[in-house]
Amino acid sequence: MIISWFIGVCVLLLGPLVSRACNVTLYAQGEPLNFTSPNYPGNYISNDNCYWDIYPQTRGNNVVLDMVFSDIEDSPGSTCQYDALTIYVKNNGDQRKAESKRICGQSRIHFITHEDQHFHAVFKTDGSVTRGGFLIRYYETDGHSCGVSDLSASSAAWTNLTSPGYPSNYSNNLDCRWTISAPVGYEIKVEVVYSNVQNLTACSSDYLLFSDGSTSFASQLGKYCGRSYITRVVVSSRNYITITYHTDGSDTASGFNLKYKAGTFLTTSTERQNELNCGSSLLSASTSTWRYLSSPGYPNYNYNNNMDCKWTISAPVEYKIKVVIRVLTVEFVYRCASDYLLFNDGFSSDATQLGKYCSALWDVVSSSNAMTITFHTDGSFLGRRFSLKYIAQTSAANGLNCGSSLLSASTSTWRYLSSPGYPNYNYNNNMDCKWTISAPVEYKIKVEIIVFSVESVAGCANDYLLFNDGFSSDATQLGKYCDGTRNVVSSSNAMTITFHTDHSISGRGFSLKYMARTSAANGLNCGSSLLSASTSTWRYLSSPGYPNYNYNNNMDCKWTISAPAGYKIKVEIIVLSVEYETTCARDYLIFSDGSSSYGTKLGKYCDGTRDVVSSSNAMTVTFHTDSSVTKRGFSFKYMARTSGCGTGEEINGYETKYIESPNYPLDYPDNADCSWTISTDVEGYVIHVKVEFFYLEHDSTCSYDYVQLYDVRGTYEHSLGRWCGFDGPDTQSTGLSMKVRFLSDASSTFTGFKLAFTAGEPTSSSSFSPNFGGVIGGVFGGIVGVAILTCCCCGICSRKKSTTNDQSQRNRSREDNVNSVFSIPLHNYQPTTATTLPAMFTPPPAYSEVVKDDPPPYCQAVPLSDIQPVVTSFPNDACEGIDNPAGPS
């Protein structure tokens, strides 16, 4: 009796104090605060499950998280399957997840929310190794704290300007703009001493932009990104310059350091005239002789920095502009991001781009009677110049005669089509030839490409042949090709072929043949489109010709499977052998929920075997193939089921079996009702369950979509808990069987779950014989423990004067956020002893090193709920635990 009483006191008094100090809501302020893993800077504990919700203190502000230190047990391939801190960015209104990041190992990561969002951080640990944990600094920002926006340049001394936070990393989602002015008659010179800005194609992500005037819409003087230790110089042409600093929501770096000064930096009137005068902007192309255009001063001297010259060349109606570049010497970088000649197909630089060049010599042809040419230079390279010639030509002169656009396919012999000029000479640039081939009703068009020699790039973006399934180039696309030989078959009695070439490389062209064929000749018979599912036996469906021969190209077979009211359709794919592509864009099976292919998509597959379940008594299956590779095809079976999902599984020994929500990893259907029974025949073993993935619709009572577990003993079922949201079950049965029930309502659907089940010995507290002495002792000990704990809190917490306690008071005043908590099951057994590995790197900063004058961490822990396994928010009169364990005083 005495021993039982003592154990009861220890469990209730000491257990919560060392188990966790989390599950709280924090509010970020302008001054940085911190939160840490439980027991920091000591090792965290095993089998733990903590969360933090971090909101901005000021409505409309963003929250920034900076990971100061992390040491979390990693796993092979950095999958974070052992211990992990998951950071979710969630919308404040509907609590939907906007994005997430799973963290383990040793990371230094920087996060920021957008407006009307907050962070939900979840820290889960398994039963093995523990490490040093983490310390995260958090604060709020308006997202645009860039300092003074209007600056003045002195002619006497340099003035410095740096990115926000420099030399520390800048923040995400910045849009800073500074306008620097100087006295009239002066220019502004800027020297970028150092820059380290995330570098993506054409500086599209983070960049530093200089504009020649008082707005960011003025002429561009330079746009920079990447890391540079070389001083870049930018000079305005007037007494204003605007600097724009943009960052996106991904990676960050240390930013930039620059200086600026006012002065007269264009040393002679000749240089000033060359800088500002690009010549006449309106030019006329002759229909008979070549005319010439070159950089100002060519060939006697080079062009200057920071220029944007534009010329528009026009020609008579029905003519096109042809340009031949003779000389082009400019700074060459990837994608011509610094200096370039830009050609646009019309009267504006906003018209369709014909080409952008910074090297080599090219011919450029417009598609109309106008072309706009832009010559752009930045502020970093000297020695640039160009020379070109231009003329107005008719379509015939450019070899753009495509021949008759209406063709007829024979039912008995092949007919031929080739690119203009084939095989005697190469096709021309800027062509768009279209031909429509028709056949008698009930026939299809079959095309075989014999020769194909055009400019080939990824995605066939330059020159290509495009096949459309009908009388228009807007009809369904059958294929877009720029290399190889292949067959293309229409699904009707018409096909449109487009031959497109751009302004650059030309090749020999193409030659193809075409004929009208019947469906039977093409082997495109899909069979009956209306199928009925049996409620008692499996029925089967396979691709045309399976298994004797491969399916054909350009097939679109559709079948609708129906079942009696109150039933669902369950499909089990037995074989799926089709052309594979990562997004299944070529050949695929699509399962749609309902009697139409426009219904909710249940899955799109091009490899593997899986189960698919409808949410109603109808399902539509579409089998699509493109015009290239063919394979064996598919075979699947289908049946009408009342629930559509759920089976019985028996586990032997320590093997692992998995169950998944219907259609996982795609969204589960509405109105799912699934049941599985997991059992073992090994006497003394129980069923253990752990989460591989879990994401259901969340609500505080888990009444919409949820997973519920039952402890099964004979005909008796006892609920072990109900789970929804992001946090699934981690528990065990008390006997040989466990039942799993999954229900979804008729509203939102999500990815679902994958649960792992093993059979093994119970943990120490999973099964026991009743001990009435222990129960009585536990009750008595609980009363005494609560009294002692209350005294401790009052005695300790009353002496604390810190930002932490002030923030706790603020937290309690915002009940709408505090009460938005996931349902998280508590463990009903003691965690196994963790094995701690020695640190192999610099130890974490001490708690006292990052926080001054704060109370010891984790004064009080989260109280255990009387009703397991659901955790609710803290009552207002409870001592909640330290929500800012590392906040300043």
Side-chain angles (χ1 to χ4, degrees):
M1 179 70 178
I2 294 176
I3 294 175
S4 301
W5 180 90
F6 179 74
I7 293 174
V9 171
C10 289
V11 168
L12 288 176
L13 226 181
L14 301 178
L17 286 176
V18 301
S19 65
R20 64 191 72 219
C22 51
N23 297 4
V24 292
T25 299
L26 313 176
Y27 293 97
Q29 305 176 21
E31 185 178 0
L33 303 172
N34 302 312
F35 71 94
T36 69
S37 52
N39 202 42
Y40 181 89
N43 283 17
Y44 54 79
I45 63 176
S46 58
N47 294 310
D48 209 356
N49 188 339
C50 293
Y51 76 85
W52 299 262
D53 284 300
I54 307 103
Y55 289 84
Q57 180 74 32
T58 306
R59 183 180 298 275
N61 275 9
N62 304 327
V63 181
V64 179
L65 296 189
D66 281 317
M67 182 165 279
V68 178
F69 170 81
S70 73
D71 179 23
I72 301 171
E73 183 189 9
D74 204 347
S75 58
S78 297
T79 57
C80 301
Q81 69 184 50
Y82 302 146
D83 301 341
L85 173 68
T86 305
I87 306 290
Y88 299 96
V89 179
K90 301 181 69 178
N91 299 324
N92 293 342
D94 57 12
Q95 299 294 311
R96 293 287 181 90
K97 181 184 75 172
E99 55 182 311
S100 64
K101 177 73 173 179
R102 191 174 175 90
I103 303 166
C104 58
Q106 301 165 41
S107 304
R108 291 293 302 274
I109 298 177
H110 178 94
F111 296 97
I112 188 168
T113 64
H114 293 292
E115 187 176 350
D116 202 29
Q117 291 181 330
H118 68 280
F119 287 111
H120 178 71
V122 179
F123 184 48
K124 284 188 176 183
T125 66
D126 64 5
S128 60
V129 176
T130 66
R131 294 192 183 278
F134 63 85
L135 184 148
I136 293 179
R137 177 158 295 157
Y138 65 99
Y139 56 93
E140 70 172 1
T141 175
D142 61 7
H144 302 280
S145 300
C146 303
V148 179
S149 59
D150 293 320
L151 306 172
S152 60
S154 168
S155 60
W158 291 95
T159 304
N160 284 89
L161 177 66
T162 62
S163 54
Y166 181 87
S168 298
N169 282 18
Y170 53 80
S171 297
N172 295 118
N173 302 305
L174 290 173
D175 272 297
C176 301
R177 187 171 292 113
W178 302 273
T179 298
I180 306 173
S181 61
V184 176
Y186 282 83
E187 294 90 28
I188 300 168
K189 185 176 184 178
V190 177
E191 294 186 2
V192 183
V193 180
Y194 170 78
S195 65
N196 185 10
V197 180
Q198 182 191 9
N199 184 10
L200 290 179
T201 303
C203 298
S204 60
S205 179
D206 301 351
Y207 57 80
L208 188 61
L209 172 68
F210 297 88
S211 303
D212 191 21
S214 58
T215 71
S216 58
F217 299 104
S219 298
Q220 188 179 118
L221 297 173
K223 185 178 182 182
Y224 306 110
C225 59
R227 179 182 298 216
S228 175
Y229 298 95
I230 301 173
T231 299
R232 295 180 181 269
V233 179
V234 181
V235 180
S236 69
S237 66
R238 61 201 76 184
N239 64 324
Y240 284 98
I241 193 170
T242 298
I243 303 174
T244 302
Y245 185 51
H246 170 82
T247 70
D248 68 359
S250 57
D251 297 336
T252 65
S254 54
F256 68 85
N257 178 16
L258 60 82
K259 60 182 181 179
Y260 57 91
K261 186 179 182 181
T264 53
F265 303 106
L266 301 176
T267 56
T268 68
S269 59
T270 302
E271 280 188 74
R272 183 183 297 272
Q273 183 64 25
N274 288 336
E275 184 76 20
L276 300 177
N277 185 9
C278 298
S280 175
S281 61
L282 299 175
L283 306 173
S284 176
S286 168
T287 59
S288 58
T289 60
W290 291 98
R291 292 180 177 174
Y292 294 84
L293 176 65
S294 57
S295 50
Y298 177 89
N300 297 321
Y301 54 85
N302 293 328
Y303 209 88
N304 277 348
N305 290 335
N306 304 310
M307 295 302 297
D308 273 292
C309 291
K310 288 185 175 64
W311 302 273
T312 298
I313 307 173
S314 61
V317 177
E318 302 300 329
Y319 279 78
K320 304 179 188 296
I321 312 294
K322 183 171 183 178
V323 171
V324 176
I325 300 175
R326 302 164 63 229
V327 175
L328 182 57
T329 306
V330 298
E331 180 181 9
F332 175 75
V333 298
Y334 179 67
R335 296 290 179 96
C336 298
S338 298
D339 304 342
Y340 54 79
L341 267 175
L342 174 66
F343 298 85
N344 294 91
D345 193 20
F347 287 94
S348 164
S349 56
D350 296 323
T352 302
Q353 183 175 309
L354 295 171
K356 183 180 181 183
Y357 307 112
C358 55
S359 66
L361 306 179
W362 304 85
D363 294 354
V364 185
V365 181
S366 69
S367 67
S368 65
N369 66 324
M371 178 190 292
T372 299
I373 303 174
T374 302
F375 182 49
H376 170 83
T377 68
D378 68 0
S380 63
F381 182 79
L382 295 174
R384 56 181 65 83
R385 56 185 183 171
F386 75 87
S387 175
L388 57 82
K389 62 181 182 179
Y390 57 94
I391 196 171
Q393 292 188 340
T394 62
S395 297
N398 283 315
L400 297 177
N401 186 1
C402 302
S404 175
S405 62
L406 298 176
L407 306 174
S408 176
S410 169
T411 59
S412 57
T413 60
W414 290 101
R415 292 179 178 173
Y416 294 83
L417 175 66
S418 58
S419 52
Y422 178 88
N424 298 321
Y425 56 86
N426 287 7
Y427 57 82
N428 265 25
N429 299 120
N430 298 303
M431 301 178 67
D432 272 296
C433 295
K434 287 185 175 63
W435 302 275
T436 298
I437 307 173
S438 61
V441 177
E442 302 300 328
Y443 279 79
K444 304 179 188 297
I445 311 294
K446 182 171 184 179
V447 170
E448 293 186 8
I449 300 176
I450 305 167
V451 175
F452 202 15
S453 173
V454 301
E455 181 184 10
S456 178
V457 298
C460 295
N462 295 352
D463 300 349
Y464 56 79
L465 269 174
L466 173 66
F467 297 85
N468 294 92
D469 193 20
F471 287 94
S472 165
S473 56
D474 296 322
T476 303
Q477 183 175 310
L478 296 171
K480 181 181 180 182
Y481 309 112
C482 54
D483 64 352
T485 58
R486 48 186 38 87
N487 300 340
V488 185
V489 181
S490 68
S491 67
S492 66
N493 67 323
M495 178 190 291
T496 299
I497 303 174
T498 302
F499 180 49
H500 170 85
T501 71
D502 68 354
H503 52 272
S504 58
I505 299 168
S506 64
R508 187 182 179 201
F510 71 86
S511 175
L512 59 82
K513 60 182 181 180
Y514 58 93
M515 181 188 286
R517 303 286 295 272
T518 63
S519 296
N522 284 313
L524 296 177
N525 186 2
C526 301
S528 174
S529 62
L530 299 177
L531 305 174
S532 176
S534 168
T535 60
S536 57
T537 60
W538 291 101
R539 292 178 178 172
Y540 294 82
L541 178 66
S542 57
S543 52
Y546 179 90
N548 299 321
Y549 56 86
N550 288 6
Y551 56 81
N552 264 27
N553 295 121
N554 299 302
M555 302 178 67
D556 272 297
C557 296
K558 289 184 175 64
W559 302 274
T560 298
I561 308 172
S562 60
Y567 282 80
K568 303 176 189 297
I569 311 294
K570 180 172 183 178
V571 168
E572 292 186 9
I573 299 177
I574 304 167
V575 174
L576 183 54
S577 173
V578 299
E579 181 182 11
Y580 175 77
E581 192 267 340
T582 52
T583 60
C584 295
R586 296 173 182 169
D587 300 351
Y588 53 78
L589 271 174
I590 286 184
F591 297 87
S592 304
D593 196 16
S595 56
S596 167
S597 57
Y598 297 104
T600 303
K601 186 166 70 176
L602 298 172
K604 180 180 181 182
Y605 308 113
C606 54
D607 71 338
T609 59
R610 49 186 41 85
D611 297 353
V612 185
V613 181
S614 69
S615 67
S616 65
N617 66 326
M619 178 191 290
T620 299
V621 183
T622 302
F623 179 50
H624 170 84
T625 71
D626 68 359
S627 56
S628 56
V629 178
T630 65
K631 291 195 174 183
R632 188 182 178 200
F634 72 86
S635 175
F636 66 70
K637 59 183 181 179
Y638 57 95
M639 182 189 287
R641 300 282 294 273
T642 52
S643 66
C645 50
T647 57
E649 298 285 351
E650 184 166 312
I651 306 177
N652 299 316
Y654 277 91
E655 70 173 321
T656 301
K657 291 199 174 180
Y658 301 90
I659 64 170
E660 301 171 347
S661 53
N663 306 323
Y664 178 86
L666 297 176
D667 288 2
Y668 51 81
D670 292 325
N671 302 307
D673 185 355
C674 307
S675 294
W676 297 266
T677 300
I678 315 297
S679 60
T680 181
D681 59 0
V682 182
E683 193 62 35
Y685 276 16
V686 297
I687 305 299
H688 299 265
V689 57
K690 285 188 175 293
V691 170
E692 297 289 317
F693 182 87
F694 200 88
Y695 183 21
L696 307 182
E697 181 180 10
H698 168 70
D699 70 288
S700 58
T701 60
C702 291
S703 59
Y704 301 152
D705 302 348
Y706 60 85
V707 167
Q708 188 158 2
L709 301 184
Y710 298 87
D711 202 6
V712 180
R713 289 180 174 270
T715 58
Y716 175 73
E717 295 180 355
H718 169 69
S719 177
L720 295 171
R722 179 182 289 188
W723 291 264
C724 63
F726 295 103
D727 297 295
D730 183 359
T731 186
Q732 61 184 343
S733 67
T734 61
L736 300 177
S737 294
M738 178 187 291
K739 180 181 176 181
V740 183
R741 180 100 184 271
F742 170 57
L743 285 173
S744 68
D745 64 5
S747 59
S748 303
T749 64
F750 297 86
T751 308
F753 61 85
K754 181 177 181 180
L755 303 177
F757 294 84
T758 56
E761 295 178 354
T763 56
S764 57
S765 61
S766 62
S767 60
F768 55 89
S769 300
N771 185 332
F772 294 104
V775 172
I776 296 172
V779 172
F780 180 73
I783 297 172
V784 174
V786 170
I788 295 173
L789 194 58
T790 303
C791 293
C792 289
C793 283
C794 293
I796 295 174
C797 296
S798 63
R799 292 193 297 270
K800 296 179 180 177
K801 295 180 180 180
S802 70
T803 305
T804 301
N805 293 331
D806 294 339
Q807 191 164 1
S808 295
Q809 295 298 325
R810 288 193 296 274
N811 292 349
R812 285 191 286 271
S813 70
R814 296 181 62 161
E815 296 177 3
D816 57 332
N817 289 323
V818 174
N819 289 333
S820 180
V821 181
F822 281 112
S823 298
I824 303 177
L826 298 177
H827 303 294
N828 57 0
Y829 57 94
Q830 294 295 330
T832 56
T833 302
T835 302
T836 303
L837 296 181
M840 302 302 291
F841 59 99
T842 304
Y847 195 89
S848 60
E849 292 176 11
V850 293
V851 180
K852 306 298 182 184
D853 304 324
D854 234 23
Y858 312 115
C859 157
Q860 193 166 336
V862 179
L864 294 174
S865 172
D866 293 331
I867 303 175
Q868 293 185 344
V870 176
V871 175
T872 61
S873 59
F874 296 106
N876 286 342
D877 57 352
C879 188
E880 296 183 5
I882 301 304
D883 59 354
N884 286 300
S889 60

